[in-house]
Amino acid sequence: MAMILDTLLSKFSDLLMEMVRDEVGMLLDIPGQIEKLGKTVGDIQCVLADAERRQSKGSAIERWLIQLKDVMYDADEVIDLYQIKAEDPATSSSHGCHFLSCFRNPLFSHEIGSKIKNINLRLEEIAKTKAYLGLTEAQIFPGTFDQDSRVDSVISRKTYPSVVLADFVGDKIEKDTEMLVNWLTEEESHLNENVRVCGIVGMGGIGKTTLAKRIFNDLRIKEGFQLKIWVCVSKEVKEEVLKCMIREAGGEHSARKEISELVPLLESLVQGKKFLFVLDDVWEESQAVLKDWLRAPMSGGAHGSRLLVTTRDGNVANGMRASKLHRVEKLSDEDGWSLLVKQVFQNENESEIEEFKDIGLQLVEKCDGLPLAIKSIGGVLYMKPKRKGEWQAVLRSAVWSKDGLPKDVHRALYLSYEDLSSPLKQCFIFCSLFPEDFIYNLNIIYMWLAEGFLPNKKDFLNLGTEHYTELVLRNLLEETTTSRDGNCFFKMHDLLWSFARHLGKNENCVLREASDVKTEGSQKIRRLSIVGNEVNSGVIRKEKGLRTLLLHHGKPEIGLDDLCKALSNLRILDLSRSNFSILPNSLCDLVHLRYLDVENSEVTELPNCIGNLKYLVYLNLSSCSNLSHVPQNIINLQELKFLDIRESRIEKIPTGLKKLDKLVELYGFKPYGNNLEGFSSLDELETLSNLIILSLKCLEEVSDMNLAKQANLLSKDQLRDLTLEYTHLSSEEQLSQTNEKKMTTENVLNELCPPLYVESVRIENYFGTHLPNWLNSGAYLPNLKYLCIANCNNFKEVASLGLLPNLEDLTFWGADSVVNIGEEFLLGGIQSRDSTTTSCSIKPTFPKLRELCFGNMQNWKEWQWNKEQPAMPNLRQLVINVCPHLRSLPEGLSHHATSLESLHIYGANNLITVGNLKVQTMRLEIFEMETLPEYLTTIMAQKLELCYCSERLLSKIVSQEETGSERIKFKHIPKVTITKVTINGEKTFLLGALVDSDHS
């Protein structure tokens, strides 16, 4: 509880100091009270840590903290009211003294003065009580953590968000995975039942979900089932489980919400298909319901279908009629120590690690062999200096004997939470407002900012990313995927989610249908998340102190106008994926609102007074297909940092976009063709110097290269991600553009040169004949890592990109006019003198390229790369996708791309030779071919995957008879996997058909 108090007290203290400096007390007719209030706030701050440590459920100290928090939330409203008034042009002075100008307004001075007097009186009473409670100033005691060393360690070891520590749970998981995959995929024709059930059982945090995921993602599972569906189940199972399964099966449930409608729909989608359903974390409360709902869909599955259930209760698995039960056991001490080492150490040698083993084994013992607990402690130790004293402090912590935790929450999780800084504690608990198994993205940083967990400073995004990174490194958040362009997605383990819900129970509430707001004691709800459609509006309206309101899916039976009028303190309002079509004018009276999300909703228009939301930092209008325009005064949202209008019908932004100079992320901006008709064009980007991500659409509308020049992207040294998109045209339409239009388009694009620091560039649907000049030299973009050129069908040749020194990922997709890729693609190399000899050497081009993809290039025939030209020494993956006329891969590729691990060839049936490539895995998709390509007899690979073979070709491959030329031999490939076979025009799946290199 002290975590939010520390932040609120600090903010209020800063305001008081500013008031004292500007001698505001006299203007408010409260002489001396501001100084007195400042001292009281300081005295209370000193004892917060002691109060946090000593509070217990229902104790006097807990009640004291609740009272203090209520006062400080009220004080936070005073801060906002003051700042709004101080920044109002009608009251603030042009000479820059906010206080003196706004406080000369008698009505406002009286209002603020009265509020400060009231806060002062309440805080004085609270301060008096602290002595009675015996609260003392914070000290560092043995067995607690030295926060300074923790913070220094975070800074020194900080890395970027894509870092995820090793997630192993002992060697046994490999054997368990193998055994269960074999059971799930074995064919038993003598069984009458189509669907068999397997249960994975074990206590919370022991690794059930980790094992299930390894099974779910196993190649044999991927190729062995026509349909795979994973759903996370909660205690209160709702129809959303069925809706999720319908979506995963490729269906659309639209407005259907009755179980009687959803069950037949799912049944029709899985009828006759061999499927695998995974129900993760099934509880006794949900077992009977699921069994009833899934009876009909499961009975219609094809023979060999499977249901995999993870649960903490073996009786639940038996109730689901599991014919296979696997119990996940605790880790042994040695496996636990191995897991801890993987979490904590990186480059240390074995002797250094061995010094910590005695203490480490004691910590593993305290974690009781639970992988999640061990990983949590590993996260704590990872953030600290590698000193035995730090490990001893963790081992001696008083938390190991703490009582009052929820049943399934191990003390190690609480210890990990206790080691967080106050802002990180708030960020962690906030994540529990979303549904269980929710997939988050980094937009949550804007919610943290809106709630005050992050300071509203220029570097807030960096700080928020650091917070996210630390929570991942501490294993409190789990990174699920990182997209090729660096976007991160993450979730919380269900135990950690339950724990975070427990920690925030007195302030945060999640409401489902027909439920009520419940808190312990007299504390007010500050954050409310609603899932479902049947929530009484009166339940919400009475929560006057709400700061966050999340409406997940659907349209609760709530009048949005009434809600906005009742909840005047809202900072966050999330209406995404809801059915609200009208946003009322009363929304604009929410003067404290920082975050508004209506993504993928039915909203048709924004209120004309939207500009009144002076504090709004986040506005998401993406995928609002009914929204066609924005009001003129949207340009008054001068605190806005995030604006997304992608996939909406918004074609124009009113003139004045340049006033939104605090924008950090701008998506889907369609510049108007000129700047004379009242709408923003490219020139309005000139003042937006804080942009980190910029996405532009419909660039063909701009024909004046001077407008592009005035955008001055080159000067935006914060810009890291740039998307330049034109309206999609077919290949024929692109080719038919006039030469004048092509030239104009090229001129505009040449002027949109990004800064040196840009890391990701995407150019889509461009119909010029050449890429911009700034892509043809590494000097312009020395930091570029990701480049995607998509659907640019007027290119006659691929640009010279080999000198981009840090390019790691390159995609060319859709370039129908390219027939030949020549040496110009590699740009010939650079002569450089070797300092140790008198000879000259050629530096390799594409020195850091790891992934290269050529796709949908319908007329590409030749790729020239002389073996004398070194290039791509670090290439790991090459994809050739739908290039039907390509005849060969170049000699230089096999000569220089010596790090190649994976070669994927799809839809390139005329490919004759690939050279003497050596790869770990080759994946070949063959359509309408009767014979295998000859190059398979020369390529050296550890594994070959053949997909979509014809029946005739399959018979040649797997034939065991001596049929002369019909025998297929793979001289250099130890293992061949036939993954998909096309028979009679339909996909059939063949599992585990392995051909050894010594046999046919």
Side-chain angles (χ1 to χ4, degrees), residues 943-961:
K943 183 177 181 182
L944 171 64
E945 298 176 10
L946 300 178
C947 308
Y948 300 109
C949 304
S950 67
E951 183 179 10
R952 175 173 169 76
L953 185 55
L954 171 68
S955 66
K956 293 181 181 181
I957 296 171
V958 300
S959 172
Q960 298 299 311
E961 300 180 37

Side-chain angles (χ1 to χ4, degrees), residues 11 83 87 446 448-450 452-461 463 594 614-617 638-641 662:
K11 282 175 64 178
Q83 290 179 334
E87 294 166 6
Y446 289 93
W448 295 344
L449 176 68
F453 305 158
L454 297 173
N456 189 7
K457 296 180 179 178
K458 188 174 181 179
D459 65 344
F460 82 95
L461 201 55
L463 182 58
R594 269 95 165 155
K614 301 294 185 183
Y615 281 152
L616 201 66
V617 296
Q638 294 180 26
E639 290 295 317
L640 206 60
K641 294 175 170 60
K662 293 184 180 178

Side-chain angles (χ1 to χ4, degrees), residues 16 148 250 283 317 578 642 717 773 939 998:
L16 294 174
D148 291 336
W283 293 74
S578 72
F642 179 103
D717 56 9
N773 297 331
I939 193 170
D998 295 328

Side-chain angles (χ1 to χ4, degrees), residues 316-471:
V316 170
N318 290 328
M320 301 289 289
R321 300 184 64 184
S323 52
K324 174 73 173 177
L325 205 62
H326 177 76
R327 188 169 295 277
V328 181
E329 304 295 342
K330 295 178 181 179
L331 296 182
S332 67
D333 288 349
E334 283 300 321
D335 279 343
W337 167 242
S338 176
L339 176 60
L340 187 65
V341 167
K342 291 177 184 296
Q343 306 305 304
V344 181
F345 297 101
Q346 288 185 318
N347 301 315
E348 290 82 358
N349 59 50
E350 288 188 16
S351 62
E352 290 175 311
I353 296 172
E354 194 67 20
E355 293 179 13
F356 293 87
K357 186 169 183 178
D358 287 344
I359 307 174
L361 286 172
Q362 293 179 65
L363 287 168
V364 168
E365 185 179 353
K366 283 188 175 291
C367 292
D368 198 26
L370 292 177
L372 182 62
I374 295 171
K375 289 171 64 180
S376 296
I377 293 302
V380 172
L381 297 173
Y382 177 79
M383 307 308 295
K384 296 180 178 299
K386 300 297 180 288
R387 294 197 295 260
K388 277 191 169 184
E390 298 288 347
W391 286 48
Q392 289 284 6
V394 174
L395 186 62
R396 294 194 306 265
S397 171
V399 171
W400 293 113
S401 58
K402 183 175 177 62
D403 295 324
L405 294 177
K407 177 183 176 183
D408 292 320
V409 174
H410 197 280
R411 292 184 179 96
L413 304 186
Y414 190 81
L415 191 149
S416 182
Y417 163 77
E418 275 289 281
D419 193 48
L420 297 175
S421 65
S422 290
L424 274 172
K425 287 179 178 178
Q426 299 167 62
C427 295
F428 171 68
I429 291 175
F430 188 88
C431 293
S432 68
L433 277 172
F434 295 88
E436 190 174 4
D437 218 35
F438 186 81
I439 301 298
Y440 310 83
N441 61 33
L442 288 184
N443 285 355
I444 200 171
I445 290 174
Y446 289 93
M447 289 188 168
W448 295 344
L449 176 68
E451 268 283 6
F453 305 158
L454 297 173
N456 189 7
K457 296 180 179 178
K458 188 174 181 179
D459 65 344
F460 82 95
L461 201 55
N462 286 335
L463 182 58
T465 303
E466 288 177 17
H467 283 7
Y468 157 76
T469 302
E470 184 170 345
L471 290 172

Side-chain angles (χ1 to χ4, degrees), residues 82-92 98 102 614-615 639:
Y82 149 67
Q83 290 179 334
I84 291 170
K85 198 70 176 180
E87 294 166 6
D88 187 345
T91 58
S92 61
H98 307 310
C102 69
K614 301 294 185 183
Y615 281 152
E639 290 295 317

